[in-house]
Amino acid sequence: MKPNLQTGQLTAWVERGVALFCLGTLIPAAFGAAAQIPFLAPWWTITIGGGIVVTSIGMMIFSFLGRRLRAWALVYVALVSIGLITWPIAWQSSAPATSSPWLWVCLGVAAVCLAVTSGTAWGFGYAIAAGLLFAVVRMTPSGQGAPLLGAVQDMIVLVMNSSVVIVALGVVGNAFKSLDEIEYASQREATAAAIDEALLEERHRLDGIVHDEVMTTLVAAAQNPNDALVATQAQRAVDRLAEAEAPAEARLPVTGDQLTWLVTDVVSALVPQAKVTSSLDELAVPQQVASTLGMVVREVALNVAKHSNATNVEVRLTSPTPGEVLISFADDGVGFDPEQVPKRRLGLQVSVVYRMWAIGGHAEILSKPGRGTTVNLSWGSTGELPKVSYEPEVKEHRPRRMPEIPELTRPSLVRLVWIVVLLQFLLGWTSLDRVTTAWPVFLAQVLAVLATLLTLRRSEQNPMKASSAIMVIGLLMGLTLLVQSVLPRGDWPGYATWHSTVVMVLLVAVLVRGQERIAWIGVGLYAMVSAVWAITQGLGAGDVLRVGFGPFSWMLVAQLLQTWMIEMADRMGASRRSSAAANKAIAQSFSKMVLRDVWLTQLRAQVGPLLNRIADTNYDLTEAERDACLSQESRLRDAMRAGNLVTELTSDAIEVARGRGVDVRLVDSRGTRLPEDVRVALTQHLGRLLTDSNTKRVVARAAPEGYEDVVTVLAVREDGTSELVGLDARGQVNTR
């Protein structure tokens, strides 16, 4: 399961913003309701009005307690919907209402609530349905008996405002999902890079021990058998290997990614055609368990490679329950009857069954002749694992910056702003009958276009210039004064105040572009100018509040969201720095585990018995053992110089070929791991060449990064003919 840090935090903050906005809408709703409550049925006021108040407060409390708001939001939507449907029934006066139903301020919020908690499709659907229903109610006496044009305007505004918010939240949500995926992939790449670096460092250290102690001893024993100095040297080599295998530091837990890396590395070295899949993202196992699993996996893979004759091999790593590891091998090979396998067969009984039992795990072997084999290795955690510790980060003063979000494309946001502005122009044109003179409206729209162009100019640069932000505020104040100068006196002018939404959108854009103080100054100036206009026009307290509530409330929500995004950027930076330190510590510990417990165990099993015989001064090496010393030294030299090109099975084939007199040379100039497709193709090609009795010489070379042919293989036959083959990054064979 992939991490969901950014989207999870975004959801929590969005829900808090919605809850805050629900609570905020109670203020203008209260002023509208104050004039209408005397005409509404008491049961409706108590049930619907009281329910909306209680639900809004409950949503606010629960959101800041970190609880999800789905249940509260659905109750809020239900109350608002029922209230709108029953509004004409609840209206008790025979005279038409003097203003639109106060529920209008809750309808858009209800659509956003539904979108946030149930999905954008539900939010859009509700906005359209609520808009249509509200238009019908507006044309009834209880809805002020609005004309068809006015009702349609109400519907357009309700649907448009809700849709803009829902689209914006959807864009941000999708952007943060993409950011989560990028962050997850980046963390995996960083972890893999840290592991590779630590493995390389540790391998170099152990290679020194192998070269200076083991390989030198094997060559000396082959040349000078039964020499007391060689025996002493062999004992020192045995002691050095034992010291290298014994950990001196505390062992950190192994993550699911690292266990996957270990299994993949072990399996691909023995069964290159195997397909390994894993879902162990959130898991940690003790290193001792991980190393034992690596050894058991190696034994299973070795059996598959030697005995199964399988074409398809699948290895799956899963976690059926929290803390549990299940590694399943499945092949389509010849299969066998487990009941017919002698108990003394060490490969299955000791290396697989007993080792799993020793760590509290279980091995299950399922096979039938001709039907392939399945091996299930399972282990479950029995306690809490130690956690990785690292030095706490020292906080530094950094400028407040919005995070870079690849999918949050500026063109899409720019288009969204322009759509909102142009739709407000349309509302202004349909409300020209409400103004005393038309030309100031068109002039105000010209100023709005200039302000929009200036706000969105060079949107890729953040923050925008302070001088540009100040000019935007000046243009917005100018268009506000122009519109207000032609509005009628004595009553609310309706959608002739289209400019308020333009002001709201552009001030939010200024805030998002980094000029927070100037944006808030603009909100204050707009609220002051609009309040003065409302008072001088003789409007009521509710209308005075209404003119400033919209821009202020949306600025507050935008400020909360931006603050969260900036905090998230800081946390992401701190998390990356902390993760880098933790990754380094874990990778170093993991690399030691891999090389000590897996690689060194394999090495000691390979050369340990021979070294012990050399160290025994009372034992005389046979001619065959002297040849084995040279053979083992060659294997170790190949692994050290060309580890990319050889696997254990390839090493066996090389040893047999050299025994026939074939000159085999391996050169690794790459420095990084070969792609799996190349490893599979190379193993198959080398296998064919090394087992061919006509082959006289084989030279395989891994090219440095950037070459078209990742690996080249030269084969010389007994008759003097040769063949040069190149393997590209997909493992395709190109004969030259």
Side-chain angles (χ1 to χ4, degrees):
M1 186 175 186
K2 295 184 178 181
N4 194 30
L5 299 178
Q6 280 74 45
T7 51
Q9 293 180 23
L10 176 66
T11 299
W13 274 82
V14 167
E15 289 190 353
R16 289 180 186 177
V18 171
L20 182 63
F21 200 59
C22 285
L23 193 63
T25 55
L26 294 179
I27 299 174
F31 282 96
Q36 295 176 340
I37 284 178
F39 305 101
L40 291 170
W43 63 266
W44 190 97
T45 302
I46 296 172
T47 304
I48 302 300
I52 290 175
V53 172
V54 171
T55 306
S56 299
I57 296 174
M59 289 176 67
M60 193 68 199
I61 294 173
F62 268 64
S63 68
F64 278 88
L65 289 176
R67 308 283 183 83
R68 298 305 302 271
L69 299 183
R70 179 176 171 78
W72 286 94
L74 292 178
V75 171
Y76 183 90
V77 172
L79 287 170
V80 173
S81 303
I82 295 172
L84 183 61
I85 294 171
T86 58
W87 179 272
I89 301 173
W91 188 257
Q92 301 294 297
S93 175
S94 57
T98 57
S99 60
S100 62
W102 62 266
L103 274 178
W104 73 267
V105 296
C106 303
L107 292 172
V109 178
V112 174
C113 283
L114 202 57
V116 168
T117 58
S118 301
T120 54
W122 285 97
F124 281 128
Y126 181 85
I128 294 172
L132 289 170
L133 182 59
F134 186 67
V136 172
V137 172
R138 282 281 283 137
M139 290 187 288
T140 66
S142 63
Q144 202 181 2
L148 178 62
L149 178 61
V152 171
Q153 287 177 325
D154 287 340
M155 180 185 68
I156 292 174
V157 170
L158 177 59
V159 174
M160 180 191 66
N161 289 345
S162 303
S163 299
V164 167
V165 176
I166 293 170
V167 168
L169 290 176
V171 170
V172 173
N174 290 334
F176 275 89
K177 286 180 182 177
S178 175
L179 183 62
D180 263 332
E181 293 175 358
I182 293 172
E183 187 72 9
Y184 175 67
S186 176
Q187 288 178 1
R188 289 182 66 108
E189 290 175 3
T191 300
I195 290 174
D196 287 341
E197 182 180 357
L199 281 171
L200 184 61
E201 180 183 343
E202 184 70 8
R203 185 64 183 255
H204 284 330
R205 187 181 73 82
L206 296 180
D207 278 349
I209 297 174
V210 173
H211 181 272
D212 297 341
E213 305 291 347
V214 178
M215 294 170 62
T216 304
T217 299
L218 293 174
V219 173
Q223 296 175 350
N224 302 295
N226 308 319
D227 187 320
L229 292 177
V230 175
T232 302
Q233 185 175 347
Q235 186 59 52
R236 186 170 62 248
V238 171
D239 295 340
R240 288 295 304 278
L241 288 178
E243 291 173 4
E245 191 174 4
E249 70 286 324
R251 292 187 164 214
L252 298 173
V254 173
T255 66
D257 283 341
Q258 293 168 346
L259 184 59
T260 300
W261 187 98
L262 173 59
V263 171
T264 303
D265 187 66
V266 171
V267 171
S268 62
L270 294 168
V271 192
Q273 74 271 25
K275 179 182 178 181
V276 182
T277 58
S278 175
S279 57
L280 298 181
D281 296 325
E282 297 180 4
L283 182 78
V285 298
Q287 280 202 4
Q288 182 181 1
V289 172
S291 62
T292 300
L293 288 172
M295 297 173 197
V296 174
V297 165
R298 179 182 177 277
E299 189 62 37
V300 175
L302 192 59
N303 275 275
V304 171
K306 288 184 175 181
H307 307 300
S308 73
N309 294 326
T311 302
N312 299 307
V313 181
E314 292 188 4
V315 183
R316 296 182 180 180
L317 291 84
T318 57
S319 184
T321 60
E324 182 182 0
V325 178
L326 175 61
I327 305 175
S328 298
F329 280 78
D331 67 63
D332 61 354
V334 296
F336 64 96
D337 185 354
E339 297 298 327
Q340 299 300 318
V341 178
K343 297 297 182 183
R344 63 178 180 275
R345 279 283 300 276
L346 298 181
L348 289 174
Q349 197 65 21
V350 175
S351 298
V352 176
V353 177
Y354 286 170
R355 273 180 171 164
M356 290 300 298
W357 175 80
I359 59 172
H362 177 68
E364 179 186 37
I365 302 170
L366 307 173
S367 184
K368 288 184 179 181
R371 297 189 180 182
T373 302
T374 298
V375 178
N376 296 318
L377 309 173
S378 58
W379 175 87
S381 175
T382 57
E384 186 175 354
L385 296 173
K387 295 183 179 180
V388 179
S389 61
Y390 47 87
E391 292 296 324
E393 180 197 10
V394 178
K395 288 189 176 181
E396 301 176 3
H397 176 71
R398 296 184 179 91
R400 288 165 55 86
R401 294 200 176 195
M402 292 276 285
E404 290 295 329
I405 307 171
E407 293 298 321
L408 197 57
T409 56
R410 291 181 178 85
S412 62
L413 296 181
V414 167
R415 285 194 293 270
L416 188 62
V417 171
W418 274 112
I419 288 172
V420 173
V421 171
L422 293 178
L423 284 175
Q424 294 305 313
F425 286 0
L426 178 62
L427 285 176
W429 299 336
T430 59
S431 303
L432 290 176
D433 60 324
R434 298 284 295 162
V435 299
T436 56
T437 307
W439 70 263
V441 174
F442 293 107
L443 180 57
Q445 291 180 350
V446 171
L447 295 183
V449 170
L450 294 176
T452 305
L453 289 171
L454 194 57
T455 302
L456 302 179
R457 180 171 173 267
R458 295 181 180 177
S459 58
E460 72 281 357
Q461 297 179 0
N462 257 10
M464 69 183 299
K465 293 182 179 180
S467 57
S468 298
I470 293 172
M471 290 178 63
V472 170
I473 301 303
L475 290 170
L476 294 179
M477 293 305 103
L479 72 89
T480 298
L481 293 173
L482 278 171
V483 173
Q484 291 177 353
S485 67
V486 294
L487 294 178
R489 294 181 56 86
D491 64 337
W492 182 252
Y495 295 114
T497 58
W498 56 269
H499 67 288
S500 62
T501 301
V502 175
V503 172
M504 172 190 75
V505 170
L506 296 184
L507 287 178
V508 168
V510 170
L511 177 126
V512 170
R513 293 203 57 193
Q515 295 295 345
E516 299 179 22
R517 293 182 180 178
I518 296 177
W520 278 105
I521 290 173
V523 169
L525 288 174
Y526 174 79
M528 182 179 65
V529 169
S530 299
V532 170
W533 165 79
I535 293 172
T536 56
Q537 294 295 98
L539 300 178
D543 292 330
V544 173
L545 181 64
R546 185 191 302 184
V547 295
F549 175 76
F552 179 82
S553 60
W554 285 111
M555 278 287 291
L556 182 59
V557 172
Q559 181 72 74
L560 287 173
L561 183 59
Q562 175 168 275
T563 299
W564 175 83
M565 292 175 69
I566 293 172
E567 287 181 2
M568 185 210 68
D570 292 340
R571 289 179 183 177
M572 284 174 58
S575 175
R576 288 194 188 104
R577 292 186 288 273
S578 300
S579 295
N583 275 344
K584 185 175 181 181
I586 294 174
Q588 289 174 343
S589 178
F590 174 67
S591 67
K592 291 177 173 60
M593 180 274 293
V594 172
L595 294 175
R596 285 174 178 165
D597 295 352
V598 179
W599 187 72
L600 279 176
T601 297
Q602 176 186 345
L603 177 63
R604 292 181 70 185
Q606 182 180 341
V607 301
L610 197 54
L611 288 175
N612 287 326
R613 291 174 195 153
I614 299 171
D616 187 353
T617 56
N618 297 320
Y619 184 85
D620 294 333
L621 290 178
T622 65
E623 190 67 29
E625 288 171 336
R626 292 172 62 185
D627 291 340
C629 287
L630 294 177
S631 176
Q632 292 291 353
E633 192 272 345
S634 295
R635 291 175 70 108
L636 292 174
R637 188 175 299 277
D638 286 340
M640 187 178 297
R641 292 184 174 179
N644 248 330
L645 300 173
V646 295
T647 66
E648 185 170 349
L649 297 180
T650 307
S651 294
D652 291 340
I654 291 173
E655 183 177 345
V656 173
R658 282 173 174 162
R660 299 197 318 265
V662 179
D663 180 15
V664 182
R665 299 186 183 183
L666 306 172
V667 181
D668 187 359
S669 303
R670 183 175 177 83
T672 57
R673 186 181 179 89
L674 289 177
E676 290 303 317
D677 291 340
V678 178
R679 287 167 65 90
V680 173
L682 177 62
T683 300
Q684 294 172 348
H685 188 64
L686 284 179
R688 288 194 297 269
L689 292 177
L690 295 172
T691 55
D692 187 349
S693 59
N694 293 320
T695 301
K696 181 180 180 181
R697 185 184 183 196
V698 175
V699 179
R701 176 178 179 266
E705 294 277 0
Y707 280 72
E708 181 178 354
D709 287 335
V710 179
V711 175
T712 55
V713 181
L714 173 66
V716 181
R717 299 181 179 86
E718 291 286 352
D719 59 5
T721 61
S722 63
E723 180 186 58
L724 181 61
V725 168
L727 301 177
D728 62 20
R730 296 175 298 174
Q732 299 295 321
V733 178
N734 303 311
T735 304
R736 300 179 181 179

